[in-house]
Amino acid sequence: MNVSTSPKFKENVHGALRDESLQRALGRLKTGFRDKRLAAINNLPEFEALRDQACDIKNHTLENLDHYLLKFEENVKANGGHVHWCADAAEARETVLRICRDKDAKSVLKGKSMISEEIGLNDFLEKEDLKVVETDLGEYIIQLRHEPPSHIIAPAIHVHKEQVADSFRETHKGRDPNRSLAEPRELLDEAREVMREHFFAADIGITGANFLIAETGTSVIVTNEGNGDLTQTLSRVHIAIASLEKVVPTLEDASSILRVLARSATGQEMSSYTTFSTGPRREDDLDGPQEYHVILLDNGRSNMLGTEFQDMLRCIRCAACMNHCPVYGAVGGHAYGWVYPGPMGSVLTPSLIGVDEAGHLPNASTFCGKCEEVCPMRIPLPKMMRHWREREFEKHLSPASMRFGIKAWAFLASRPRLYRTATGLAAKVMNKMAGGRGRLAKLPLAGGWTQIRDLPAPQGQNGKTFKELWAEKQAQKARGSK
Amino acid sequence: MTSSTPNADISGAGKPRVGLFVTCLVDMFRPTVGFSAVKLLEEAGCEVDVPMDQTCCGQPAFNSGDKASAKKVARPLIDMFADYDYVVAPSGSCAGMIKKHFPELFADEPAMLDQVNALSAKTHELVSFLTDVMKIDAVAASFEGKVTYHDSCSGLRELGVKQQPRKLLNSVQGLEISELSEPESCCGFGGTFCVKYPEISGKMVGEKTDDIKSTGAKTLLAGDMGCLMNMAGKLAREGSDIEVRHVAEVLADMTMEAAPIAGKKGEQAS
């Protein structure tokens, strides 16, 4: 499994906020994703109904997950394919390696797959002397830069085109060193030329899956570059790696969810390519792989079933939550320290690598609720982040100062008389300290606040609380009416 | 205050009795907001009472994962406000806590459920209560100049408070609203978030204050003290002379009663 830097979240944040190049890149989220999503949704009056339908499909499937997974397996086998049930990342990696070894493979082509990131597949295969090439342009760029993705559908969103040109010049040897790589088109053309050679030479093609369809034994991927199609049809062997919750009962169900997926992700009605793979090449097929394998990965998902985190398994990885998240928008994906960033990552990551490791992530949210508002699968992300905070509190993982603060506050707030005295006193002390200026630039124990903003002092010259003033007024009234 | 329909007898039995949930920040930092709420509610035809034993809604503990403490603080409110027709808070966040999260907090206590649901059903954020329940569509207030309005997240997304404050602000004499380019984006307050992750919070509130300044408004309004103190504190730190107020102060025509939140330009904070 990939090593996480989630425990160093605050340091990651510190660096990300000072990374000017990253900050410039994050500025593109609005026009690149948010505006387009909104336009697409405004064009589809039944979008809300489709969201409900998509949720229902996933909820039903999750309640009957064993049934649909077995059915999927049965149909894959009937089509001549193979299904490998893998409990964890190590088992999945070993299974992929075994297939590669059986086929005496030298090279592996990859379509974009977050699961392969989750299980750290590339590094593992490279250590086993296999040549691994990412075929999604964004993934290819970060592969050249030796970086993890910073976004689940736009893995290189943090990279500028000038940096891509630098990577290409460094890696693509034997080309004119003075060639122009200033325009996106030029970068794309060069990537295509280089990629084409890889496609024809590939032994194994590995893709992810957006859906697994139980009734047909089909895996489905959506791409905008067509790289997934080539990866799986030109290779001798196609391996689709997918986590358990990707299964849906029928083709019809997949098409229903597809209607919310691309709109939520990129604002497209459909992605440019939606590819259905059902088994290996048949006798009269013109192309297609000789073998078709599906790696069904659990890696912690089945532990989420039946818990307060089950709803998270509805996620279809559209990235709408991170595209709209102000925290993601401030710090980018790498700060989260593991494979899945943004709100969906803040819920999923603790489930997969442990809340003791990823404890910062569900805390680093204002609960503004924007993620839940835009999630096509209506996943209550803030609520689930709160559930993680509850688990942390129960396990005494939250900082001692915070625990003490909350307990002390609750002690006071459940004793009205004492609370009135204490708040009245505190208001007057702060007021005195502000000295008529109305605000405090420093306050003991409030460094987190005053580090970046002043603290407005309690109102007025005397710092009386509302309840004190209200009581005075009521007393005056009572005297007046006597 | 004017109203499209007479509402003194909205409950059919005299004036509706409103228990004001003051909120801890208004109590300590901004009493004028409490008095503005009382004035607005009374002018709308309500009888207002302030239970003196109220403290906080429990949200800080709830959002910190300490459900036991949250319950300890929240539980007394259920009885305390049981006899009122309505519970009204000058905050979308605190009203949202009672309305949306109390039922969740007490979900494991079936015996409490009826009472909690009843409290939830009658709890409202102040401005939306005035417009949606009391059917007020205009106020008798004046405030000269251009203001901008920040939609606080809890009010907006948990309670649907969006058009209500704008509707009433548009009836204020002399007031002009200049909208933010991103009125619905979070200001970075987030309760304990702003002190747990000050750097992220700082980035968020910095973007918000840039947006505020670019509207050309001389006053920033919102309906939640947490967001207001965050934005006011940042504006003050940046040396801006934009004034910050709770929307209730403007609607109740009580802006003369108190200086804006935080200090004026040129005064060094202590």
Side-chain angles (χ1 to χ4, degrees):
Chain A
M1 198 179 282
N2 271 330
V3 180
S4 93
T5 65
S6 301
K8 295 196 305 175
F9 178 73
K10 283 194 170 186
E11 290 163 52
N12 296 348
V13 163
H14 187 79
L17 288 168
R18 276 155 195 77
D19 182 341
E20 281 178 28
S21 162
L22 172 67
Q23 291 298 323
R24 209 156 28 98
L26 291 170
R28 293 195 290 259
L29 285 170
K30 178 171 162 39
T31 48
F33 291 112
R34 295 200 289 265
D35 293 350
K36 287 178 182 165
R37 171 193 170 273
L38 193 62
I41 282 161
N42 288 340
N43 269 335
L44 189 71
E46 66 268 40
F47 185 74
E48 292 305 312
L50 283 171
R51 281 172 83 178
D52 290 335
Q53 189 186 9
C55 286
D56 289 347
I57 291 167
K58 279 282 190 178
N59 284 340
H60 167 81
T61 313
L62 291 171
E63 291 299 330
N64 303 280
L65 194 58
D66 51 344
H67 169 75
Y68 288 112
L69 284 171
L70 290 169
K71 201 166 165 189
F72 173 76
E73 180 187 35
E74 185 187 316
N75 285 320
V76 171
K77 284 182 175 165
N79 298 326
H82 309 270
V83 173
H84 309 269
W85 299 76
C86 296
D88 57 22
E91 197 178 347
R93 289 190 300 253
E94 290 297 336
T95 306
V96 172
L97 181 64
R98 200 170 59 241
I99 299 168
C100 293
R101 292 279 186 252
D102 283 351
K103 296 289 126 192
D104 203 18
K106 304 281 182 295
S107 65
V108 174
L109 276 189
K110 294 269 312 295
K112 198 179 125 33
S113 155
M114 290 310 294
I115 296 295
S116 100
E117 300 288 343
E118 182 181 321
I119 64 175
L121 187 61
N122 289 10
D123 284 352
F124 173 78
L125 293 178
E126 278 168 358
K127 276 188 195 125
E128 297 290 338
D129 285 330
L130 282 147
K131 182 176 169 59
V132 181
V133 179
E134 291 286 352
T135 64
D136 171 271
L137 181 57
E139 286 285 345
Y140 179 66
I141 291 166
I142 59 167
Q143 186 184 24
L144 296 184
R145 291 167 57 89
H146 307 288
E147 282 178 325
S150 68
H151 188 281
I152 61 171
I153 66 165
I157 192 168
H158 59 288
V159 186
H160 295 280
K161 66 179 195 296
E162 294 75 20
Q163 296 169 306
V164 178
D166 291 345
S167 297
F168 280 13
R169 282 184 206 286
E170 202 178 300
T171 325
H172 300 159
K173 305 290 184 199
R175 288 169 180 262
D176 178 4
N178 297 318
R179 68 193 186 278
S180 168
L181 288 173
E183 294 304 315
R185 183 77 241 172
E186 292 166 332
L187 292 168
L188 196 59
D189 286 345
E190 179 161 320
R192 284 178 102 147
E193 277 176 35
V194 172
M195 202 64 74
R196 193 128 305 211
E197 293 159 23
H198 292 305
F199 279 124
F200 290 124
D203 299 314
I204 309 278
I206 300 179
T207 68
N210 292 87
F211 305 98
L212 304 173
I213 299 171
E215 71 170 350
T216 55
T218 302
S219 59
V220 183
I221 54 169
V222 297
T223 72
N224 277 318
E225 298 168 22
N227 61 304
D229 302 43
L230 295 175
T231 300
Q232 64 189 44
T233 45
L234 294 179
S235 305
R236 283 191 286 141
V237 176
H238 174 203
I239 305 175
I241 49 179
S243 47
L244 302 180
E245 80 282 9
K246 290 288 183 288
V247 73
V248 293
T250 66
L251 274 167
E252 191 67 37
D253 293 330
S255 78
S256 296
I257 301 176
L258 279 168
R259 295 190 70 195
V260 296
L261 173 59
R263 286 179 170 91
S264 300
T266 53
Q268 292 166 287
E269 291 180 358
M270 288 284 279
S271 302
S272 304
Y273 300 87
T274 302
T275 310
F276 295 75
S277 308
T278 311
R281 174 197 299 210
R282 289 163 300 193
E283 260 177 39
D284 48 354
D285 284 346
L286 293 174
D287 54 21
Q290 294 160 16
E291 287 184 20
Y292 173 72
H293 296 261
V294 180
I295 308 272
L296 270 183
L297 177 71
D298 183 344
N299 210 25
R301 269 85 177 170
S302 57
N303 291 335
M304 295 164 72
L305 288 170
T307 71
E308 64 265 56
F309 302 109
Q310 176 167 320
D311 289 346
M312 190 61 220
L313 297 173
R314 287 204 300 267
C315 177
I316 53 173
R317 307 290 190 267
C318 70
C321 60
M322 62 195 74
N323 293 340
H324 291 78
C325 175
V327 173
Y328 180 94
V331 303
H334 287 160
Y336 289 77
W338 203 59
V339 177
Y340 302 103
M344 58 78 69
S346 297
V347 175
L348 190 60
T349 304
S351 300
L352 301 186
I353 67 173
V355 72
D356 40 349
E357 181 86 1
H360 272 299
L361 308 190
N363 282 285
S365 164
T366 63
F367 286 161
C368 81
K370 188 72 190 175
C371 51
E372 184 175 359
E373 181 187 305
V374 298
C375 174
M377 305 307 287
R378 299 196 195 283
I379 300 172
L381 292 154
K383 181 176 166 177
M384 283 189 286
M385 286 184 230
R386 192 184 295 111
H387 287 321
W388 275 123
R389 297 182 190 184
E390 286 161 13
R391 295 268 181 110
E392 287 181 271
F393 202 90
E394 284 161 18
K395 291 174 140 192
H396 291 253
L397 291 170
S398 15
S401 56
M402 192 272 267
R403 300 176 63 83
F404 175 78
I406 291 289
K407 291 290 178 203
W409 162 87
F411 177 85
L412 266 185
S414 51
R415 287 165 178 75
R417 210 177 270 261
L418 187 62
Y419 179 87
R420 277 202 295 276
T421 311
T423 50
L425 197 64
K428 282 164 203 68
V429 168
M430 278 191 271
N431 215 277
K432 189 95 178 157
M433 289 171 70
R437 281 168 295 265
R439 59 200 159 99
L440 296 141
K442 282 210 176 84
L443 187 70
L445 303 174
W449 181 281
T450 54
Q451 178 183 333
I452 51 158
R453 68 222 119 189
D454 291 346
L455 181 68
Q459 173 194 335
Q461 295 303 313
N462 52 24
K464 282 188 182 171
T465 65
F466 174 82
K467 274 182 269 178
E468 287 171 329
L469 293 166
W470 178 260
E472 284 174 12
K473 280 203 170 190
Q474 298 305 104
Q476 269 171 17
K477 254 196 209 168
R479 276 197 300 276
S481 64
K482 267 180 196 167
Chain B
M1 186 175 297
T2 56
S3 158
S4 54
T5 52
N7 46 45
D9 289 312
I10 202 157
S11 65
K15 290 182 172 185
R17 290 190 66 230
V18 170
L20 182 69
F21 186 68
V22 182
T23 80
C24 41
L25 289 178
V26 166
D27 183 42
M28 255 184 100
F29 286 90
R30 199 71 185 164
T32 296
V33 175
F35 288 107
S36 299
V38 172
K39 185 177 176 208
L40 286 164
L41 290 165
E42 286 181 347
E43 285 180 0
C46 303
E47 189 187 312
V48 183
D49 189 24
V50 181
M52 290 300 273
D53 279 352
Q54 60 176 296
T55 59
C56 171
C57 62
Q59 189 174 187
F62 183 61
N63 282 348
S64 299
D66 184 358
K67 275 177 98 168
S69 293
K71 277 186 171 182
K72 196 157 107 181
V73 176
R75 198 181 301 276
L77 299 180
I78 299 166
D79 274 342
M80 205 183 298
F81 285 95
D83 292 335
Y84 297 102
D85 297 324
Y86 298 105
V87 180
V88 175
S91 156
S93 175
C94 312
M97 174 69 196
I98 300 174
K99 199 170 184 66
K100 298 287 169 182
H101 301 301
F102 271 27
E104 195 185 325
L105 181 61
F106 290 97
D108 57 354
E109 294 184 43
M112 297 288 292
L113 226 54
D114 285 348
Q115 283 168 279
V116 170
N117 287 337
L119 177 64
S120 159
K122 68 183 182 185
T123 298
H124 298 269
E125 178 277 335
L126 173 67
V127 181
S128 52
F129 176 75
L130 293 171
T131 57
D132 302 351
V133 180
M134 299 309 291
K135 307 293 180 197
I136 299 294
D137 50 24
V139 292
S142 60
F143 189 80
E144 281 304 319
K146 206 186 258 187
V147 307
T148 191
Y149 189 88
H150 165 72
D151 294 301
S152 293
C153 300
S154 306
L156 175 70
R157 299 198 181 85
E158 292 183 343
L159 306 173
V161 179
K162 175 74 188 179
Q163 291 312 320
Q164 299 91 329
R166 288 170 175 80
K167 181 175 176 180
L168 294 189
L169 284 171
N170 278 325
S171 73
V172 173
Q173 294 249 328
L175 182 147
E176 182 196 339
I177 301 178
S178 172
E179 291 284 356
L180 294 162
S181 69
E182 302 267 349
E184 297 185 3
S185 78
C186 178
C187 73
F189 171 61
T192 55
F193 169 85
C194 71
V195 290
K196 281 192 293 188
Y197 300 96
E199 287 198 277
I200 309 175
S201 175
K203 165 85 176 164
M204 289 165 70
V205 70
E207 284 181 6
K208 184 55 80 173
T209 53
D210 286 348
D211 196 0
I212 293 165
K213 289 175 197 164
S214 68
T215 61
K218 71 175 179 78
T219 307
L220 165 70
L221 303 177
D224 268 272
M225 276 308 292
C227 318
L228 285 164
M229 288 175 63
N230 179 39
M231 294 183 289
K234 182 66 175 171
L235 284 167
R237 179 64 60 88
E238 290 170 343
S240 164
D241 57 2
I242 292 172
E243 300 190 343
V244 180
R245 289 184 181 277
H246 192 287
V247 65
E249 298 171 28
V250 172
L251 296 179
D253 208 21
M254 287 180 70
T255 54
M256 302 307 285
E257 314 255 326
I261 299 166
K264 292 190 198 94
K265 192 184 183 180
E267 289 179 359
Q268 194 68 43
S270 358

